[in-house]
Amino acid sequence: MTWRVTVDRGRCMGSGICTALAARSFVLDDERSRAVGDGSAPGESVLDAADSCPAGAITVTENGRVIGPRD
Ligand code: SF4
């Protein structure tokens, strides 16, 4: 399995929701978030962050298939 967490920094508005929900997976850098995942399976908190991002900037994929944000 290959997982990938990405943040579209062009869409991110720096709300900090993702860093609050999943502090080990996102970091605010110059008022924009970036993912700092190590390629391991995303935990529930990462998927929650993708669901909660007000800008829809977070995408989580598993073997190339989008699994977050969830519907
Ligand atoms: S929740 Fe979304 S908009 Fe807010 S900092 Fe994270 S990526 Fe950016």
Side-chain angles (χ1 to χ4, degrees), residues 3-61:
W3 290 275
R4 201 152 174 250
V5 181
T6 57
V7 174
D8 181 338
R9 288 171 60 90
R11 295 178 78 166
C12 173
M13 50 206 246
S15 69
I17 292 172
C18 57
T19 55
L21 289 173
R24 282 191 285 181
S25 299
F26 300 95
V27 62
L28 279 180
D29 177 7
D30 209 13
E31 299 187 6
R32 296 288 180 267
S33 175
R34 65 183 165 83
V36 291
D38 58 3
S40 57
E44 192 64 22
S45 61
V46 173
L47 292 168
D48 284 345
D51 293 346
S52 302
C53 175
I58 300 170
T59 303
V60 184
T61 63

